[in-house]
Amino acid sequence: MTWPLVDPRDLEFCLWRVLAADRVTGYPHFAEHDRAWFEQVIETARRIAEDSFRPHAAKSDANEPRIEDGRVVLIPEIKQALEAFAEAGFLSAHHDAELGGMQLPWVIQQAAFAHFKAANVPTAAYPFLTMAAANLIHAHGSEAQKAVWLPPMLDGRFFGTMALSETQAGSSLSDVRTKATQIDGDRYAISGSKMWTSGGEHEMADNIVHMTLARIEGAPAGVKGLSLFIVPRYRLDETGAPGAPNGVRLAGLNHKMGYRGTVNTVLSFGENGDCEGWLVGPPNQGLAQMFHMMNEARVGVSLGAIMLAYQGYQASLSYARERPQGRPPGDKDPTTPQIDLIAHADVRRMLLQQKSVAEGGLLLALDLALRVDRQKHDPDREVRAREGLLLDVLTPIIKAWFSEQALDANSNAIQIMGGYGYTRDHPVERFYRDNRLNPIHEGANAIQAIDLLGRKVTMKDGAAFRAVIAEIDATLADARHVGGVEAITGAVQEARDSWVLTTQSLTESATERGATRHLANAHAYMDLAGLAVFGWIWLRQAVVAARDLSRGADGDRRDFLLGKLHVARYVAVWDLPRAAQRASMLRGLDDTVTDMVPDWF
């Protein structure tokens, strides 16, 4: 069985028909580009992903990282793939030309990167982390730090990581204990340990740059006392080349359920007082700075989850089309030919769920990437501010809601393939294991839900929330002029109204109920918000599909557009009605969770 990493029809539809992403060339920063160049970049990514990333995905899963003679050993194909990625310029593609980049819009960079995530998400984690670390230095580092660290990171000689969590402080960064003692200027002695550091130790790069959270002596308690440091594996000599070890020691490897090709480490810093780090920006601003990398990582995590769902859908769809199994209900004659799995109604149900999440999620991920471009490059300050507000609310939704739905999608892929899906003869069980991490890392989903309800929808007197609702309302207004989308339009309107009324109700009762009870049902609130956004994303696709059909389409194109409309109908009937139940429970201020006494368990 073979299937595409990304359906080219779907990517074309998302980028050019729904998002009109080529309009970014209207910004002076991207004026030298055109759609043909963007498509060439994406095609290059597809080819490298197919040739260098996909072939070793199963092998790296079966041969997880190990330690030999104190060094981490990985299968060689991972390094070979990363060299191809770097040689093609993808590490620096979104940066300015003076940094060796292509000045690609972020939306095109993400469309290209989606292929690497689809092909082999664990191997794609190494450049993903390096790009995010480089972006963090570019945004907050001094000119001297940028000059030292960015060139080798953007050409693939140095890799990057996020060193945040500790054994006693997973998601609770306020409990970080790693210490920093000033030596001189921005140079500090670092001591402590870090847990769950992906890409933390390997031999695939000349150096590893750990973007590290630590607490300067005398700093305030909690997250307000965290500072951000560049802590390399090796110090640099006078020429800028890696020199002496910097006291970052491998304490162990974490052996994971999935994502096995991404080495995950326990690191010790400065056991012998020999680890140095360089302060990035002002002291005690580390968490705010790190959120630049974390928010980027959260959207990246969601893209990974979505592409795993996409691959599970493509794999189970291919299988369902080729695998004869059983007969139609009512046909009791064992001598009649078997029918393909896809002819069974329940198989089509599970395929619809997967298609809705995979294709809906891809559009939202690209939509957010395009908003990043607008936020950075639009000449109108109000537009830039508005896009920032929209990203504030939509980022936790795409990270938390879609990572859960993508996991359900992968479960359905296994179910369709039955016993074969449960074996390692087929990749869908690996997709599920890889995807199980995504609701956990880069801020567990519960934290995203609490952040959404407790902060994001009320920030700036609700301005960010109102911005999202205005986007939904604009799509609803547009849809009312289009025939054939009435079902999804009505369902989105109801989900939107449920979200608005529930948000108002919960905001009004928050002070009286207190933080614990107010946030106890945040998971249900995230589900409500996710459903409203999910419906909006599919309404946008339905509107474009209906208009394209009305202009005349035949053959494969017509089938593709009718498929989009039918998935929108599925979302309207099967998913969006759940919003009313969530809203009813939330507005009823249900205390089932908080009233459960721990001893009763």
Side-chain angles (χ1 to χ4, degrees), residues 394-563:
L394 293 173
T395 294
I397 292 173
I398 194 173
K399 193 280 175 187
W401 195 85
F402 275 88
S403 65
E404 288 195 4
Q405 303 305 311
L407 194 63
D408 287 345
N410 284 142
S411 179
N412 278 330
I414 294 171
Q415 189 73 18
I416 287 171
M417 297 177 69
Y420 289 106
Y422 196 62
T423 69
R424 295 190 182 182
D425 295 332
H426 295 276
V428 290
E429 62 85 28
R430 170 165 49 86
F431 298 154
Y432 183 91
R433 287 187 290 105
D434 285 347
N435 221 346
R436 188 59 189 86
L437 178 62
N438 290 318
I440 299 172
H441 66 160
E442 304 307 338
N445 281 4
I447 293 174
Q448 304 299 318
I450 289 171
D451 180 54
L452 179 66
L453 176 57
R455 191 168 70 91
K456 292 294 176 61
V457 297
T458 57
M459 64 186 294
K460 298 184 179 179
D461 295 323
F465 177 67
R466 290 194 300 273
V468 175
I469 297 303
E471 290 288 307
I472 296 174
D473 287 346
T475 302
L476 285 165
D478 189 29
R480 293 189 181 98
H481 301 287
V482 179
V485 298
E486 292 80 7
I488 183 69
T489 301
V492 171
Q493 181 71 61
E494 291 179 7
R496 174 261 188 218
D497 293 346
S498 291
W499 189 20
V500 169
L501 293 172
T502 301
T503 303
Q504 293 171 345
S505 175
L506 294 181
T507 301
E508 291 168 0
S509 66
T511 301
E512 181 180 348
R513 284 172 57 76
T516 297
R517 290 187 180 272
H518 175 58
L519 298 174
N521 295 329
H523 180 272
Y525 183 83
M526 174 61 79
D527 194 33
L528 172 59
L531 287 165
V533 170
F534 190 47
W536 168 56
I537 285 296
W538 271 103
L539 179 59
R540 291 169 68 180
Q541 296 191 71
V543 166
V544 174
R547 284 184 170 141
D548 285 0
L549 279 167
S550 70
R551 297 187 184 102
D554 53 22
D556 180 69
R557 180 65 178 174
R558 184 172 185 274
D559 287 339
F560 172 80
L561 296 172
L562 287 171

